[in-house]
Amino acid sequence: MHASTVRNLLVRGMIAGLLAGLCAFVLAYVAGEPSVRDSIAQEEARSAPAHQHGGEDHQQGAAEEEEEELVSRPVQSTFGLATGVLVYGVALGGIASLVFAGCLGRIGRFGPRATAALLAGAAFVTVYLVPFLKYPATPPAVGNPDTIGKRTTLFFLMILLSVLLAVVAVIAGRRLAPRLGNWNAAVAAGGGYAVAVVAACLVLPGNTDAVAASFPAALLWEFRLASIGVQALLWTAFGLIFGALAERALRPGQAAGAAEAASDSAAASVRTAG
């Protein structure tokens, strides 16, 4: 694949990521923000008695913390959320487009749309769903703030392991395909990936202090369901949008190749007739 084609795919991947991020932002604001707002209210209500019994010094410290807040909650839930989701979508769209350029034609006889759909589905599973099963998302202001760094490190470690194991599974499936057939090789590689992921989940430590026992289970479930929905919509929209854009980007090259082949065939016919 030519460098210009890869560059075109990269641009279209970032555009698709931006549009997919916009769709995800709408869902995050509509379905996710209410649970975030209620979670913050729960944390404030739980810490209110401590503020009341802490005396004037504690109240003065709380007032100073409020004064040091640089970004208000309304800005965080609108402009801040939109910025984060859109930047996230553009970055992942660019990375996914490069992976698409390397996978097209190498994972089976799939066209651009089907390849984009398969890539988006695999990315959702490996980058988000599998790490989520081990370390589920928690609302802000929930859990021990002293363990945020540890929890973040473990989550990204799980993402890295999931992606690496998926790459190993794809390589193993391709090598097993000549002996087992495509279907059996895919099943064997997928089963191996699942077993390896389960082993990784058992080895890595859990988040025992991520959520307080007094936090409402229904509110936690609502937040996590919204989190999964946002990611699922992001990758679904990206797969559909990027598949269409990639097909349009690759069509001129395919047409040029067909025209060149037809010209060579015609020239060969003329030489034969002469």
Side-chain angles (χ1 to χ4, degrees):
M1 187 174 292
H2 296 292
S4 59
T5 303
V6 175
R7 183 172 61 252
N8 290 336
L9 290 175
L10 175 61
V11 173
R12 283 163 173 76
M14 296 174 70
I15 293 174
L18 178 65
L19 297 176
L22 183 61
C23 297
F25 162 69
V26 173
L27 182 61
Y29 182 77
V30 173
E33 272 303 308
S35 59
V36 172
R37 183 173 57 249
D38 293 343
S39 300
I40 295 176
Q42 287 283 335
E43 180 65 18
E44 291 177 348
R46 188 175 61 179
S47 59
H51 290 170
Q52 293 175 359
H53 294 290
E56 295 181 356
D57 293 339
H58 191 87
Q59 292 176 359
Q60 183 179 359
E64 292 177 355
E65 290 181 0
E66 291 179 358
E67 292 178 357
E68 293 176 356
E69 186 179 14
L70 299 178
V71 182
S72 64
R73 178 59 195 155
V75 174
Q76 293 176 11
S77 62
T78 53
F79 181 77
L81 177 63
T83 301
V85 174
L86 293 179
V87 171
Y88 178 79
V90 171
L92 289 185
I95 296 173
S97 65
L98 296 178
V99 176
F100 170 89
C103 293
L104 184 63
R106 293 183 174 89
I107 58 174
R109 297 180 179 179
F110 301 108
R113 287 177 182 267
T115 302
L118 290 173
L119 177 63
F124 169 71
V125 172
T126 58
V127 176
Y128 182 78
L129 185 60
V130 168
F132 178 89
L133 294 177
K134 175 61 178 177
Y135 301 113
T138 55
V142 174
N144 186 356
D146 296 334
T147 62
I148 292 179
K150 175 185 175 182
R151 285 183 275 152
T152 303
T153 301
L154 289 175
F155 183 74
F156 280 102
L157 177 60
M158 190 64 205
I159 292 177
L160 179 62
L161 288 175
S162 177
V163 172
L164 290 178
L165 291 174
V167 172
V168 172
V170 171
I171 295 174
R174 291 189 61 185
R175 292 186 177 181
L176 292 174
R179 289 184 295 173
L180 303 180
N182 292 333
W183 175 257
N184 291 332
V187 172
Y193 170 77
V195 171
V197 164
V198 171
C201 290
L202 294 176
V203 171
L204 291 176
N207 285 338
T208 57
D209 60 346
V211 181
S214 59
F215 191 81
L219 182 57
L220 180 62
W221 171 252
E222 179 183 345
F223 173 82
R224 289 177 174 174
L225 190 63
S227 178
I228 294 177
V230 169
Q231 289 290 329
L233 177 60
L234 174 69
W235 285 110
T236 300
F238 173 79
L240 295 176
I241 297 172
F242 179 68
L245 295 178
E247 187 176 59
R248 293 185 62 182
L250 296 172
R251 188 177 299 162
Q254 294 174 350
E260 183 179 355
S263 177
D264 294 342
S265 177
S269 299
V270 170
R271 288 195 300 268
T272 302

